[in-house]
Amino acid sequence: MRGGRYRLVEVVRVLSVGANRVSGVAVVLMIILIVAEVVLRKFFDRSTTLCDEYTGYFQAAVVFLSLAQCFKDNLHISVDLILRRLPNPLRRWIEVINHLVALFFVAMLLWAGGQMTWESFLFGSTSYGPSNTPLFIPQLVVVIGLAIFAIQILCSFLLTIGKQSEAS
């Protein structure tokens, strides 16, 4: 079982790190697009006409693709002031409940996002912007980020449960 657990942790780590790197690429692309827009407007009195639209897509990619890595690195907001003062067994049970609640909400978001993405794909929905981007593309990035986040939460949940069974 231990070998399987470490393989799972490694797969989830690779997924989280990979999504986080794509998020970093989105930041770079956003910066390049904004700089290009500023240069075009300032020196050539022109516009890319899609800067606002695509920086919005890139922002969504940055947020949703970095969720899993933030969770893994414990960078989400938490109430450590209270948790640090609790005994270890109680703290672990609170972590288990926290993981279950988080997994429930992420699963709901994943379900709704998946349905929205599928419907956008089926009906050929496009953006209102000048690019007419098929909306399922940026929506799919959100769904992928949520899926990796859910997998990261599930892995952390299983590790927490494993620690509790070992401690017993």
Side-chain angles (χ1 to χ4, degrees):
M1 179 62 188
R2 277 203 166 171
R5 185 185 319 169
Y6 293 120
R7 266 186 252 122
L8 172 68
V9 169
E10 182 59 21
V11 167
V12 174
R13 186 192 70 75
V14 167
L15 282 173
S16 296
V17 168
N20 202 42
R21 287 184 178 160
V22 172
S23 171
V25 170
V27 169
V28 171
L29 291 173
M30 197 169 26
I31 291 168
I32 290 170
L33 188 57
I34 291 169
V35 168
E37 180 71 18
V38 168
V39 169
L40 282 172
R41 283 187 185 195
K42 181 76 174 167
F43 298 110
F44 301 104
D45 201 27
R46 299 239 182 234
S47 174
T48 61
T49 67
L50 34 104
C51 183
D52 290 341
E53 181 181 353
Y54 275 82
T55 53
Y57 298 150
F58 291 143
Q59 284 176 336
V62 167
V63 169
F64 285 94
L65 292 176
S66 62
L67 285 173
Q69 187 69 34
C70 286
F71 185 82
K72 180 184 164 295
D73 294 341
N74 202 24
L75 297 174
H76 286 280
I77 297 171
S78 63
V79 188
D80 285 343
L81 180 67
I82 297 170
L83 289 177
R84 278 185 282 171
R85 296 176 185 202
L86 297 175
N88 276 342
L90 180 59
R91 186 176 337 140
R92 284 200 186 109
W93 277 111
I94 290 174
E95 286 177 14
V96 166
I97 293 167
N98 184 31
H99 284 90
L100 289 174
V101 169
L103 195 54
F104 173 75
F105 280 109
V106 172
M108 285 186 359
L109 288 171
L110 190 54
W111 173 256
Q115 282 191 305
M116 179 180 63
T117 304
W118 181 245
E119 289 173 5
S120 292
F121 176 75
L122 284 180
F123 297 121
S125 301
T126 59
S127 68
Y128 293 117
S131 71
N132 284 330
T133 301
L135 286 177
F136 81 90
I137 296 170
Q139 291 168 348
L140 186 60
V141 172
V142 170
V143 169
I144 290 169
L146 286 170
I148 295 170
F149 187 33
I151 293 167
Q152 181 67 57
I153 294 170
L154 183 61
C155 180
S156 182
F157 170 75
L158 293 173
L159 290 174
T160 302
I161 292 292
K163 285 179 190 173
Q164 281 201 324
S165 66
E166 288 173 6
S168 302

